[in-house]
Amino acid sequence: MADRVARCPKMAPLFLLLLGAGSLPAAGCTGAVSPERSLVWGPGLQAAVTLPVRYFYMQAVNEEGHNITSSPGAKSFKVMIKALSAKEYIRIHVPEPLDRNDGSFLMRYRMYGSAKEGLIIEVFHQDKHVAQSPYILKGPVYHEYCDCAEDDPEIWQQTNSCPTNEAQISKDFAPFPSIDLNRMLEEVPRRFAESRGAIVHYTVLDNQIYRRSLGKYTDFKMFSDEMLQSLARKVRLPDIEFYINVGDWPVEHRKANATPGPMPMISWCGSSDSRDIILPTYDITHSTLETLRGVTNDLLSIQGHTGPSWDNKTEQAFFRGRDSREERLQLVRMSKKNPELLDAGITGYFFFREMEKQLGKAPLIGFFDFFKYKYQVNVDGTVAAYRFPYLMLGDSLVLKQDSSYYEHFYSNLKPEKHYIPIKRNLGDLLDKIKWAKVRRTSLRFLTLF
Ligand SMILES: *[C@@H]1O[C@H](CO)[C@@H](O)[C@H](O)[C@H]1NC(C)=O
Ligand SMILES: *[C@@H]1O[C@H](CO)[C@@H](O)[C@H](O)[C@H]1NC(C)=O
């Protein structure tokens, strides 16, 4: 019955769009879900990978063995998770799987206790076990607040599949073949703390974290604290001392070959003209720690809230945000002149209050609603716009302003492949939107993290 076999085009990558591959078939691969052939994988099936929220993926596959590429129905898979031993009772938050709208699902669960004996994870499609279900995770399976630090950092790195080489980290440390802590002790307060007041001095000793604030503007140390504490619970940290800059801007602008040379300051945002060593932003670490609890927008949840399917998204570029950079105001002006291409609005005035009368204030809108639009404009705020990773996980096409600022993962991205670059002065934005509009295809970039 050849005519019953659905057409199963491969996902349309951006390069097809760039080659001008016109309109690709929107209908993906469909058909009945095969429980045996469907796939289940991810770190949440491994006992030893302790995360605030454990997660794994499910891919619906049809009877012919083809991946299903559009949603087979939000309730296609049912997941049950409980302690392996009936004698152990552990509270586990197990929400419904997130439908990623492309035939795949993301399952998240948060444990509120550790399972000594282990966990059993069952995945069903209409009461039939899916793939290798039931999955047995042999204990101990720890929760986020465990006292379970692995003594050997290398084992911990292997367990968590940490890459042996991270280009950004190697590059960031290259100017610092050796570090003079005495010089830092003397110079950091004077050079970086007095003017900006946003430096925190950390010391880890016997896996205990100590710190002192250098300056008045160090409230954001709550984010570096919680991140370091989470790490220390899971892996025994070496005795170490360092300085984190919890302000917006990178601080060390001396060149690698300057005399005296630069110092290894740790920051959340890097720039091409500074030497700061970059951590994942507090936005990402906090939302990761609070997933399924205090936050709605995090790297996992976003994947199930990417709005209507591509064909049903509004054919406009979209922007909402504060007035933290001149180009954002310019976006609003462009939007007023070209409403068919761009819907941009400022939701709060602080830096350019005098412009509110002229440009107006747009009501706040939930982040998930951004994905009702096909194109997302990413423009810097005071530094890099920390929404960028979340925008990249939606299935809209991201148009990114050229910028000297970066977060820890940007060096893994390629302009034209992962996003469409636009000039810093936004001069080519409207042309790029027009260009994208004539090429109709959907894009997903879900493999960045
Ligand atoms: C099917 O989906 C899985 C999971 O997303 C992927 O690894 C695999 O490459 C896909 N197979 C094909 C033939 O596209
Ligand atoms: C678009 O929306 C309409 C109306 O809600 C719906 O019937 C249709 O299935 C949607 N199309 C796609 C491709 O999701």
Side-chain angles (χ1 to χ4, degrees):
M1 297 227 310
D3 60 347
R4 232 201 74 223
V5 179
R7 279 206 294 173
C8 303
K10 284 220 177 107
M11 220 155 45
L14 180 54
F15 74 82
L16 284 182
L17 180 137
L18 292 163
L19 294 174
S23 105
L24 286 155
C29 190
T30 52
V33 175
S34 157
E36 300 82 31
R37 302 192 84 156
S38 291
L39 307 168
V40 181
W41 76 97
L45 299 174
Q46 289 174 51
V49 180
T50 306
L51 298 171
V53 168
R54 292 169 180 256
Y55 65 95
F56 58 88
Y57 294 91
M58 299 170 285
Q59 168 73 51
V61 176
N62 67 16
E63 309 281 352
E64 286 85 22
H66 296 298
N67 286 352
I68 292 175
T69 54
S70 59
S71 173
K75 297 202 180 303
S76 294
F77 295 112
K78 200 172 88 187
V79 177
M80 290 174 54
I81 303 177
K82 54 179 197 272
L84 191 56
S85 155
K87 289 196 200 101
E88 271 191 284
Y89 176 76
I90 302 146
R91 194 156 70 86
I92 308 173
H93 179 32
V94 184
E96 298 285 314
L98 281 177
D99 186 347
R100 303 206 305 170
N101 259 328
D102 63 353
S104 71
F105 292 79
L106 173 59
M107 187 63 208
R108 304 161 295 166
Y109 64 100
R110 182 186 272 276
M111 301 173 66
Y112 285 92
S114 296
K116 271 205 209 90
E117 298 290 318
L119 284 185
I120 173 162
I121 299 180
E122 295 171 292
V123 184
F124 297 101
H125 171 71
Q126 296 173 350
D127 300 326
K128 280 208 177 124
H129 279 288
V130 173
Q132 276 78 54
S133 170
Y135 295 89
I136 308 288
L137 281 65
K138 222 171 119 17
V141 182
Y142 294 114
H143 73 304
E144 167 65 21
Y145 296 97
C146 64
D147 180 10
C148 57
E150 163 61 53
D151 277 335
D152 184 342
E154 281 188 16
I155 291 180
W156 180 80
Q157 286 181 323
Q158 273 167 20
T159 305
N160 288 282
S161 310
C162 297
T164 43
N165 234 318
E166 239 292 314
Q168 187 68 53
I169 295 176
S170 308
K171 179 168 168 282
D172 287 355
F173 274 98
F176 309 105
S178 68
I179 290 167
D180 182 348
L181 282 176
N182 285 326
R183 182 184 157 214
M184 293 195 81
L185 188 66
E186 192 272 320
E187 196 175 327
V188 170
R190 192 160 43 78
R191 186 173 184 92
F192 300 110
E194 275 164 24
S195 53
R196 308 228 186 200
I199 306 292
V200 183
H201 179 184
Y202 281 97
T203 299
V204 180
L205 204 60
D206 276 339
N207 211 30
Q208 300 292 312
I209 295 159
Y210 303 86
R211 64 145 154 77
R212 60 175 180 139
S213 299
L214 303 175
K216 280 184 287 197
Y217 306 104
T218 55
D219 287 353
F220 277 30
K221 63 182 176 290
M222 62 193 248
F223 298 118
S224 38
D225 285 355
E226 65 179 3
M227 182 271 293
L228 291 167
Q229 282 164 347
S230 175
L231 268 181
R233 284 192 291 271
K234 304 188 187 72
V235 57
R236 196 180 159 80
L237 301 173
D239 291 349
I240 184 175
E241 234 180 292
F242 51 91
Y243 293 80
I244 295 189
N245 157 37
V246 296
D248 284 342
W249 292 276
V251 291
E252 179 52 278
H253 293 276
R254 286 175 290 189
K255 298 250 178 317
N257 58 5
T259 329
M263 284 188 295
M265 302 299 292
I266 299 175
S267 295
W268 283 308
C269 184
S271 71
S272 52
D273 65 349
S274 59
R275 303 285 89 70
D276 296 39
I277 292 164
I278 303 309
L279 284 179
T281 67
Y282 62 86
D283 195 303
I284 287 184
T285 52
H286 180 69
S287 71
T288 299
L289 286 166
E290 294 302 315
T291 298
L292 287 184
R293 208 166 52 172
V295 298
T296 48
N297 183 24
D298 53 80
L299 297 176
L300 299 180
S301 308
I302 195 87
Q303 299 184 40
H305 295 95
T306 57
S309 64
W310 178 258
D311 288 337
N312 276 351
K313 289 188 198 291
T314 305
E315 283 252 0
Q316 277 172 313
F318 188 77
F319 176 84
R320 289 289 181 277
R322 296 188 311 144
D323 64 337
S324 45
R325 185 166 292 269
E326 172 67 32
E327 286 92 23
R328 293 185 167 196
L329 307 178
Q330 198 184 327
L331 268 183
V332 179
R333 290 187 204 104
M334 291 164 87
S335 165
K336 287 185 189 295
K337 286 205 194 110
N338 304 275
E340 73 292 353
L341 294 176
L342 176 63
D343 180 340
I346 300 292
T347 52
Y349 286 86
F350 177 76
F351 299 89
F352 299 93
R353 288 211 170 103
E354 70 287 359
M355 297 306 293
E356 179 169 353
K357 258 214 169 81
Q358 193 193 335
L359 298 178
K361 190 160 149 183
L364 283 171
I365 125 166
F367 190 70
F368 296 157
D369 287 335
F370 279 42
F371 300 114
K372 290 179 175 159
Y373 297 81
K374 281 194 175 174
Y375 314 107
Q376 306 293 335
V377 188
N378 187 83
V379 173
D380 282 352
T382 46
V383 285
Y386 292 170
R387 73 185 64 182
F388 184 56
Y390 307 103
L391 286 180
M392 292 298 283
L393 285 166
D395 62 356
S396 298
L397 177 57
V398 179
L399 298 138
K400 183 186 173 302
Q401 180 192 27
D402 186 26
S403 170
S404 58
Y405 292 114
Y406 54 84
E407 296 174 63
H408 74 283
F409 63 95
Y410 290 16
S411 61
N412 294 321
L413 302 179
K414 294 203 169 55
E416 312 286 358
K417 177 160 186 263
H418 296 111
Y419 61 83
I420 303 295
I422 49 177
K423 287 191 181 140
R424 182 131 193 95
N425 67 11
L426 311 183
D428 57 352
L429 173 63
L430 296 174
D431 283 343
K432 295 255 166 114
I433 300 170
K434 284 184 209 155
W435 171 87
K437 277 179 77 161
V438 298
R439 290 164 170 80
R440 294 180 295 149
T441 183
S442 117
L443 305 149
R444 283 191 87 104
F445 310 111
L446 292 169
T447 53
L448 296 171
F449 297 97

